[in-house]
Amino acid sequence: MTVLDTVAVDRTARKSRLRHYLMCPPTHFSVTYAINPWMNPDIPVNHDLAEIQWDVLRHTYLSLGHTVDLIDPEPGLPDMVFAANGGLVVGGRAYSAKFRYEQRQGESQAYRNWLKAAEIHAVDPIETNEGEGDFLTLGAMILAGSGFRTNISAHIEAAAAIDRPVVSLELVDPRFYHLDTCLAVLDDGNGAAPADIAYYPAAFSPHSQRTLRDLFPNAVICSEADALAFGLNAVSDGHHVVLPTAAIGLGEQLRGRGYNPVPVNLGELLKAGGSVKCCTLELHV
Ligand code: ARG
């Protein structure tokens, strides 16, 4: 078998699965405070463009056949567009978010209300955690980040709430302050293909780098340039990987593995330190 045959086998192995997402329109989006190194209130946001970019993302999901629910945006909560932080939802159970910074704390109740209306039982957290920003579901387990936003004690709380084992990973680079900025789940392992991830090693402590190497020896290793372009802030359905346009190298790596990269430009949202995945909470079945 030649290398090309291997690629051909991989390509046919990638299968998409229809997903259910929750998004929040960027009606009140702006950058009025700085709680991560990407945010600078002195740099203006083009609000109309942000709306268009977000809508392209929503339509991208719809055109791929996925379901997109919307939560009503609330005034005074400019980061509420980053729905991934609203909680962790797996198998009809949820673990609600408890935001680290005061500026975002009002979002917890808004997302809790949405879960309640959707009749998804949510466990209220004692520990600080920022939902899918720091909890990524993969097969039977959950990869969990700590170091900047989510407390490591929240990992234990989440494991009990969702009834899944949690693997704790320590983040060390403030530019990659949520797990979903430096690690992307490409295949969640719930279909025919094995679990597959991409990540940027230097964002993790040496111990966590070892954990990732042991668990995922064949992972896609993302370059610093593509990580800084938020390439890992991607959403995959197992075949299509929606990711920021600027992460060109990562897109090529994914294509070489049989994925179909779908680039979208969320440049205005990036001014708040967020992109594709941040705008998307997956309601995992
Ligand atoms: N400005 C937001 C914050 O710093 C961005 C959140 C990005 N969300 C994410 N899931 N990484 O909290």
Side-chain angles (χ1 to χ4, degrees):
M1 188 188 266
T2 68
V3 172
L4 281 177
D5 290 333
T6 314
V7 171
V9 169
D10 268 346
R11 278 181 194 283
T12 51
R14 304 288 169 210
K15 282 235 175 5
S16 61
R17 212 176 60 240
L18 292 181
R19 308 297 173 112
H20 192 166
Y21 300 126
L22 177 65
M23 296 179 74
C24 178
T27 317
H28 307 291
F29 173 65
S30 63
V31 178
T32 54
Y33 50 80
I35 55 172
N36 70 54
W38 302 88
M39 300 176 88
N40 180 350
D42 295 334
I43 296 177
V45 168
N46 181 334
H47 192 268
D48 291 347
L49 185 55
E51 296 256 11
I52 292 167
Q53 292 177 340
W54 178 89
D55 219 39
V56 169
L57 177 63
R58 185 173 71 92
H59 276 99
T60 300
Y61 292 141
L62 294 175
S63 70
L64 293 171
H66 305 306
T67 301
V68 180
D69 285 343
L70 298 180
I71 180 172
D72 287 335
E74 294 194 8
L77 297 173
D79 272 334
M80 197 176 160
V81 63
F82 300 116
N85 299 125
L88 169 68
V89 185
V90 186
R93 307 165 75 129
Y95 176 54
S96 288
K98 184 172 170 185
F99 287 81
R100 170 147 316 266
Y101 294 109
E102 198 194 338
Q103 293 95 330
R104 297 197 66 185
Q105 280 165 5
E107 295 179 41
S108 304
Q109 191 58 47
Y111 281 97
R112 272 209 297 271
N113 293 345
W114 188 89
L115 290 166
K116 193 162 180 219
E119 296 181 358
I120 297 170
H121 172 71
V123 171
D124 281 339
I126 293 167
E127 302 297 337
T128 298
N129 82 88
E130 297 199 350
E132 272 204 321
D134 275 320
F135 290 113
L136 295 173
T137 303
L138 181 85
M141 68 178 161
I142 292 167
L143 300 178
S146 72
F148 295 103
R149 300 293 181 88
T150 297
N151 285 345
I152 194 155
S153 36
H155 297 179
I156 297 161
E157 212 177 32
I162 299 295
D163 196 22
R164 301 252 170 138
V166 168
V167 174
S168 291
L169 299 166
E170 187 187 6
L171 306 176
V172 295
D173 182 334
R175 297 172 301 173
F176 304 105
Y177 57 93
H178 277 140
L179 182 64
D180 71 357
T181 64
C182 50
L183 189 150
V185 175
L186 302 172
D187 193 309
D188 65 10
N190 289 328
D196 194 20
I197 65 164
Y199 69 101
Y200 172 56
F204 296 88
S205 69
H207 179 75
S208 295
Q209 288 183 33
R210 226 168 15 247
T211 303
L212 287 169
R213 269 200 310 273
D214 287 351
L215 283 175
F216 307 102
N218 300 316
V220 174
I221 300 299
C222 179
S223 71
E224 182 178 30
D226 286 329
L228 288 172
F230 263 55
L232 292 164
N233 200 242
V235 170
S236 175
D237 64 13
H239 181 213
H240 311 96
V241 184
V242 184
L243 83 173
T245 321
I248 294 166
L250 181 62
E252 284 312 308
Q253 283 173 281
L254 297 181
R255 199 182 294 286
R257 276 205 184 214
Y259 294 102
N260 189 357
V262 181
V264 294
N265 180 3
L266 289 180
E268 292 309 299
L269 281 306
L270 190 56
K271 291 175 179 171
S275 191
V276 176
K277 172 60 201 156
C278 299
C279 291
T280 316
L281 176 66
E282 181 168 348
L283 309 169
H284 295 275
V285 288

